[in-house]
Amino acid sequence: MRLRLEGIRLRREGFELNIPELEVGEGEFMTLLGPSGCGKTTTLRIIAGFERAEGRVFFDGEDVTKRPPYERNIGIVFQDYALFPHMTVFDNVAFGLRLRKLSKAEIEREVREVLSLVGLEGLENRYPEQLSGGQQQRVALARALIIRPRLLLLDEPLSNLDAKIRERLRGEVKRVQRELGVTTVYVTHDQEEAMAISDRIAVMKDGRIIQVGRPLELYYRPKDEFVARFLGTGNILLLEAKNGRACLGSLCFDTEGEGKVRVFFRPESVFIMQGEEADVVDYELLPGRMRLFLEVEGQRIVAERFIPELPFSPERVPKKVGVRVGDYLILSP
Amino acid sequence: MRAMVGRRFWVLLLLPSLLFLVLFFYYPIALILLDGLSWGSLSSVLANPYYRHVILFTIEQAIGSTVLTLLLGLPGAYLFAKYDFPGKRFLKALLTVPFVMPSIMVALGFILLFGRSGFITSLLGRDLGVLYSWKAILLAHAFYNFPVVVRMVSSLWARINPHYEEAAESLGARGFTLFRRVTLPMLYPAIFASSMLTFIFSFLSFAIPLILGGYRYGTIEVAIFTSIMTLLDFRTGAALAVLQMGLSFTFMYLYLKSLDAYSKAEEQRVLQRPRKLTLSDFRGLRGAGIVLYSLIVFLFILAPLLAVFYDSLTSSGHFTLKWYRHLFESSYNPIFGSDSLHAVIWTFVFGFSTVLLATLIALTMSYSSRRWDLPGKIIFDVLATLPLGSSAIIIGLGYIKAFHRPPLLLLGSPFLIIAAHTTIAYPFALRAVSAALKKVRPSLREAAMSLGASDLLAFLKVELPLAFGGIVVGAVFSFAMSVAELGATYMIYQPKYTTVTIAIYRYLGSRQFGPASAMAVVLMLVSMAGFLVIERTGEEVW
């Protein structure tokens, strides 16, 4: 199913959501990414129909703006899972099918199927409080999927879990989504999660969508400083451009404009060589990698390289190194 | 269109409840206001030294009761918040008992304890002069309210983040200074809210001052009752009622405000783990304190009940079952103009009808309030809460005025008694239900709706089952209030609809304590059943 938002506006005290247009393609995994309070959960709730706003919501070209949530056929997983505490796992998952008046045998079969899809066989008779956080999350996912939703909405579904389980589950969410091919909107503030899981990401800030694109596109071609910084560590150098070039010492970048420019590149685009161009201010050892904090002509540069790629031994880091920048981007002012 | 009906369905559900409220609360109250809210009647009441004394005493005794209640409740709050000790669960359960005990029974218990030939009087060998004075009134009010103080204050106390106290200690505060400067200020919301509740309870108290206060110590509530039932002076009654309503609505407003502050403070999730006390800890001062306090609570709560129970089994010092045999006689009893069996039957009929109506009203109102998406929600909430600030006697007076002539000639009908009980009881059921509903996370309803449940279905299948405990508690409260109701019923009933509570009151008037005690034991058993139901729900009511 294709999802389309048009002219969405919602004003609240001290906050305004404004999305002129957003489209999520058939079977696409779209993530709304942004800091807390940016309006990503509100957007999700508008899509679900829990929140009313100006503008229109289309499912496959059909205007569903005025439809209540229970007539939209959506699956939604909440941050707190919202498992019904007075029902067993089976009853929780079967809830949607019972409302659709399916026969007992059918319900039984479907529940079993979806529970095996999320890897929860054998826990049918437990109550939510008897499950671990990860298991509760899977039940919530199964409950949302069993109604064969046209659209799957996930509101920070992994944020209440430990880092390890979070990583494993995000892979599973992606696998299940691909297997079913269900159009999905996912909300998170975790850029790594968003990169790992999404087909496309919409970065949001202060109630607006700043940029929409594929993960690597956003990562290497951010539209502005906010996107650049939000999606990981980035170097932004403020330089003066002359004759189509901006230089910092011997590091030179091709520019189109003249005057003040901002040059952006990721730490892994910085290559380290032997040389004297940059002072090594500090460094950190990461698993298999080294992060170096360099200074060139008074400007800070962060570099990150795999240890075997370094021209020196990690035990003996020199005071000065040579640098070269591979992939860079001139940020629009 | 379907969506509109679905979303605004609550309006349809609400209408009957609103109609009930208008007919059986606002219309009668309006008639009282029409009569009493005039300069002439108000000033003639205020110019009368007797009524000035009554108003002053009502406030004085309410303040006194609140102070005594705090003195009794605060140590308990401390013990409950800080320590786990053997018998704590039992003590906690015991503290729920006063919630469901009818005041007529407690008054009877006090008479049997402190009367001229009462248990305590004969134990000490002299009359303490408690009965028929302000002392008995204060004690009985404390009996009802100190569990509230223990509950509210200890619940907040247990939620004070230990880091505050630890930080203060690291900065040099200790002992009483630590308590006064750091802990106590954080307890103020609970202390203030529970004090306000005690104050209002005592301010509007009727049966206790009527029976235990004697001639000299009456509250406004008693004065209204006497001016209407004995002096047939409706003008004075209405003027007093207007004065009382003015005051009690003000107090009720303050109480609800303080309750807001309290719930906000109570929302903190941090829970101190109470220290476990083992038997060996009991040798110290702390242990002695706990034992002493438990003993006081035990005696204070159980003594009136035991006195009634003992008295029901004795006749001039000998064991007898004759008072109980009288219970099942269907012979006409001139003291209350009916027979015991029918009194028991009517009590249950009124009780269950009240439960049914009050629960229905509470459910429709809380559902509507949760779904309200039109302007005017605050007005509705105020209209639904106002009956909490009226009183049984005011309702009785209003009903006499409103329903004594056609087309609304309902006076003397059992349906009017049910309406009165429901009007008195439903605010409590509403509070229990909406408190339980408030605990249900909104995402659960939304999850149900995303899965295809309509709004009403989500309420019935998800929110309601989760709030079931609160509904049961509300139902038990409604039943207990109906069974215990004296003032309003007495003003609008006919002898053939005598209830157990009224029968006991008539027995007390003719100083027949034996049969009164046997009947009170019936009440006690009924209340105990309610108490057990509440315990079973596991809902925190105290």
Side-chain angles (χ1 to χ4, degrees):
Chain A
M1 191 211 70
R2 271 177 303 110
L3 166 72
R4 191 176 157 74
L5 303 184
E6 263 181 31
I8 299 293
R9 282 168 81 93
L10 181 73
R11 234 165 301 200
R12 288 225 195 96
E13 212 178 319
F15 173 77
E16 191 188 332
L17 182 72
N18 189 349
I19 301 176
E21 188 185 20
L22 180 71
E23 191 151 341
V24 184
E26 174 85 49
E28 190 177 31
F29 196 116
M30 168 70 92
T31 296
L32 304 179
L33 174 69
S36 63
C38 72
K40 51 194 192 301
T41 295
T42 309
T43 309
L44 195 81
R45 293 170 59 81
I46 291 170
I47 299 171
F50 293 128
E51 209 91 42
R52 323 211 131 249
E54 277 175 56
R56 301 202 287 172
V57 180
F58 293 94
F59 285 8
D60 267 341
E62 175 198 358
D63 188 344
V64 298
T65 317
K66 294 243 159 60
R67 277 215 213 152
Y70 46 86
E71 286 174 11
R72 294 192 183 194
N73 200 20
I74 43 167
I76 181 162
V77 176
F78 291 86
Q79 186 171 4
D80 61 1
Y81 315 135
L83 297 180
F84 306 128
H86 58 305
M87 297 181 195
T88 60
V89 168
F90 185 94
D91 291 336
N92 259 287
V93 176
F95 188 86
L97 293 187
R98 291 206 172 119
L99 288 171
R100 285 164 176 72
K101 308 248 181 299
L102 263 63
S103 76
K104 240 182 150 177
E106 261 177 300
I107 290 175
E108 188 106 355
R109 203 190 61 234
E110 299 259 334
V111 171
R112 254 170 241 305
E113 207 168 289
V114 75
L115 283 181
S116 87
L117 180 72
V118 299
L120 272 183
E121 298 100 328
L123 297 179
E124 288 86 348
N125 294 322
R126 301 265 190 99
Y127 281 90
E129 56 176 13
Q130 299 169 308
L131 302 177
S132 72
Q135 289 169 329
Q136 291 185 20
Q137 207 278 330
R138 288 159 195 257
V139 177
L141 188 61
R143 186 180 68 179
L145 289 174
I146 200 168
I147 59 170
R148 299 178 198 279
R150 304 172 78 182
L151 182 65
L152 181 62
L153 302 174
L154 303 156
D155 185 8
E156 308 227 10
L158 303 177
S159 63
N160 286 335
L161 298 170
D162 295 341
K164 276 233 171 84
I165 301 171
R166 197 156 62 214
E167 255 175 57
R168 206 179 68 219
L169 270 180
R170 81 181 180 211
E172 262 179 68
V173 169
K174 181 73 196 166
R175 173 183 64 79
V176 169
Q177 190 265 344
R178 244 187 231 140
E179 244 170 73
L180 301 176
V182 56
T183 310
T184 301
V185 179
Y186 188 96
V187 162
T188 184
H189 61 266
D190 181 335
Q191 44 91 12
E192 198 183 304
E193 199 171 289
M195 302 263 290
I197 206 170
S198 321
D199 295 327
R200 282 198 304 155
I201 299 173
V203 181
M204 293 185 70
K205 180 196 174 191
D206 299 336
R208 279 159 203 281
I209 292 178
I210 308 288
Q211 190 176 2
V212 187
R214 279 175 283 111
L216 287 184
E217 199 178 312
L218 293 181
Y219 187 73
Y220 287 118
R221 295 276 172 273
K223 198 173 154 195
D224 66 4
E225 196 171 330
F226 174 77
V227 179
R229 294 210 186 279
F230 199 76
L231 277 131
T233 326
N235 293 295
I236 296 176
L237 302 177
L238 196 60
L239 299 175
E240 198 76 36
K242 264 187 223 133
N243 308 325
R245 275 168 82 78
C247 292
L248 181 69
S250 58
L251 277 178
C252 281
F253 307 92
D254 291 327
T255 66
E256 272 167 18
E258 297 285 303
K260 285 219 182 306
V261 291
R262 280 177 304 160
V263 182
F264 163 81
F265 49 90
R266 294 285 175 196
E268 63 271 22
S269 304
V270 182
F271 296 95
I272 305 288
M273 289 153 306
Q274 279 173 332
E276 302 274 312
E277 292 152 287
D279 294 316
V280 179
V281 181
D282 201 356
Y283 62 90
E284 274 173 1
L285 272 176
L286 303 170
R289 289 167 296 155
M290 180 177 272
R291 184 176 291 163
L292 292 117
F293 301 92
L294 309 171
E295 207 171 282
V296 180
E297 306 270 317
Q299 295 228 42
R300 283 282 183 116
I301 293 176
V302 182
E304 213 173 289
R305 296 249 62 91
F306 287 111
I307 286 170
E309 295 170 3
L310 291 170
F312 49 80
S313 141
E315 257 89 67
R316 248 171 283 154
V317 179
K319 288 225 155 45
K320 280 178 184 295
V321 293
V323 287
R324 181 150 308 150
V325 176
D327 194 17
Y328 62 89
L329 174 78
I330 308 298
L331 287 180
S332 46
Chain B
M1 188 58 212
R2 253 184 79 200
M4 282 304 287
V5 171
R7 220 167 42 246
R8 297 275 156 76
F9 187 66
W10 54 265
V11 178
L12 281 177
L13 283 177
L14 184 60
L15 278 177
S17 297
L18 275 185
L19 201 67
F20 179 92
L21 202 60
V22 167
L23 186 60
F24 290 109
F25 181 72
Y26 284 102
Y27 172 56
I29 295 292
L31 290 182
I32 296 180
L33 289 179
L34 223 57
D35 205 12
L37 197 59
S38 74
W39 182 243
S41 48
L42 284 180
S43 60
S44 80
V45 164
L46 287 174
N48 184 327
Y50 172 72
Y51 289 123
R52 277 211 305 273
H53 164 79
V54 165
I55 294 168
L56 204 63
F57 174 72
T58 306
I59 294 172
E60 282 170 355
Q61 62 84 24
I63 294 173
S65 302
T66 308
V67 172
L68 181 64
T69 303
L70 283 178
L71 286 179
L72 247 145
L74 288 179
Y78 172 75
L79 293 180
F80 271 87
K82 291 285 178 186
Y83 304 110
D84 254 342
F85 47 89
K88 182 175 173 180
R89 269 187 59 116
F90 175 73
L91 207 61
K92 201 169 159 178
L94 200 63
L95 283 170
T96 317
V97 170
F99 279 89
V100 290
M101 282 299 149
S103 46
I104 189 94
M105 203 216 72
V106 176
L108 172 61
F110 272 55
I111 292 177
L112 295 172
L113 287 173
F114 295 108
R116 222 168 301 147
S117 49
F119 295 103
I120 292 182
T121 314
S122 29
L123 204 67
L124 296 177
R126 68 192 186 88
D127 193 340
L128 292 171
V130 168
L131 215 53
Y132 309 124
S133 82
W134 56 271
K135 295 175 202 159
I137 297 177
L138 261 56
L139 269 178
H141 288 165
F143 169 88
Y144 274 104
N145 291 295
F146 89 93
V148 179
V149 174
V150 176
R151 178 188 84 83
M152 291 179 95
V153 178
S154 74
S155 157
L156 198 59
W157 210 326
R159 279 174 171 76
I160 292 180
N161 190 333
H163 290 168
Y164 292 131
E165 286 181 3
E166 284 162 12
E169 273 179 276
S170 76
L171 297 169
R174 74 186 113 168
F176 188 67
T177 313
L178 174 69
F179 175 75
R180 193 173 55 87
R181 301 283 298 276
V182 179
T183 317
L184 188 62
M186 290 197 234
L187 293 177
Y188 282 155
I191 295 176
F192 192 66
S194 56
S195 301
M196 268 328 284
L197 194 61
T198 310
F199 183 87
I200 292 170
F201 178 95
S202 313
F203 182 78
L204 294 178
S205 177
F206 171 68
I208 288 165
L210 178 74
I211 297 164
L212 296 178
Y215 296 107
R216 282 192 301 142
Y217 300 99
T219 53
I220 306 178
E221 191 81 344
V222 175
I224 303 172
F225 180 76
T226 339
S227 72
I228 287 159
M229 300 309 285
T230 326
L231 311 172
L232 298 175
D233 181 354
F234 277 77
R235 211 169 100 96
T236 307
L240 281 169
V242 168
L243 283 173
Q244 177 180 295
M245 270 193 280
L247 288 170
S248 73
F249 285 146
T250 313
F251 298 143
M252 192 54 73
Y253 176 77
L254 288 177
Y255 166 64
L256 291 176
K257 281 274 151 207
S258 66
L259 198 64
D260 273 352
Y262 169 73
S263 344
K264 228 171 256 152
E266 212 212 4
E267 262 170 29
Q268 286 192 31
R269 286 288 175 77
V270 200
L271 268 179
Q272 284 183 31
R273 197 161 281 280
R275 236 192 82 194
K276 264 218 156 52
L277 289 186
T278 53
L279 279 176
S280 60
D281 281 319
F282 273 76
R283 261 171 284 171
L285 199 64
R286 193 179 286 136
I290 290 177
V291 171
L292 190 70
Y293 189 76
S294 308
L295 210 66
I296 290 174
V297 168
F298 196 74
L299 284 178
F300 192 38
I301 291 183
L302 288 186
L305 315 187
L306 290 176
V308 170
F309 185 60
Y310 177 82
D311 193 66
S312 72
L313 288 171
T314 48
S315 168
S316 38
H318 298 290
F319 175 80
T320 176
L321 282 175
K322 70 174 171 184
W323 309 127
Y324 288 98
R325 272 198 298 277
H326 282 327
L327 272 184
F328 299 102
E329 274 171 14
S330 50
S331 61
Y332 180 82
N333 188 329
I335 290 176
F336 50 81
S338 173
D339 59 86
S340 319
L341 198 59
H342 270 93
V344 174
I345 292 170
W346 280 114
T347 301
F348 277 94
V349 170
F350 294 145
F352 285 120
S353 312
T354 304
V355 167
L356 189 70
L357 273 181
T359 308
L360 277 177
I361 292 176
L363 277 177
T364 52
M365 282 191 168
S366 56
Y367 173 71
S368 309
S369 183
R370 253 173 109 77
R371 297 294 191 263
W372 198 287
D373 56 356
L374 298 172
K377 181 169 189 311
I378 297 177
I379 297 175
F380 165 71
D381 283 342
V382 168
L383 286 181
T385 331
L386 270 185
L388 207 58
S390 79
S391 71
I393 298 304
I394 286 180
I395 297 217
L397 168 59
Y399 281 18
I400 293 178
K401 282 179 165 301
F403 303 116
H404 73 284
R405 56 163 177 239
L408 287 172
L409 182 59
L410 290 170
L411 214 55
S413 141
F415 294 109
L416 195 64
I417 296 178
I418 294 170
H421 289 190
T422 304
T423 309
I424 292 167
Y426 96 82
F428 296 88
L430 178 62
R431 273 188 46 195
V433 173
S434 35
L437 275 175
K438 215 179 262 174
K439 285 191 205 143
V440 181
R441 283 172 292 150
S443 64
L444 292 179
R445 166 184 159 233
E446 291 175 351
M449 287 174 75
S450 78
L451 295 168
S454 68
D455 197 80
L456 186 64
L457 214 53
F459 185 72
L460 294 178
K461 289 215 151 188
V462 175
E463 289 167 280
L464 211 52
L466 289 171
F468 189 69
I471 298 168
V472 172
V473 168
V476 171
F477 274 4
S478 311
F479 191 79
M481 297 190 88
S482 162
V483 165
E485 216 297 310
L486 174 65
T489 318
Y490 195 87
M491 292 171 87
I492 58 174
Y493 87 124
Q494 288 180 24
K496 63 176 162 176
Y497 304 123
T498 295
T499 61
V500 170
T501 299
I502 289 188
I504 297 172
Y505 178 61
R506 305 299 304 223
Y507 274 132
L508 286 184
S510 56
R511 315 215 40 90
Q512 297 200 26
F513 294 133
S517 295
M519 281 218 153
V521 169
V522 173
L523 278 194
M524 208 192 304
L525 289 179
V526 172
S527 312
M528 269 298 167
F531 159 78
L532 290 177
V533 171
I534 289 183
E535 280 294 297
R536 279 298 290 272
T537 64
E539 202 77 8
E540 287 269 326
V541 291
W542 81 267

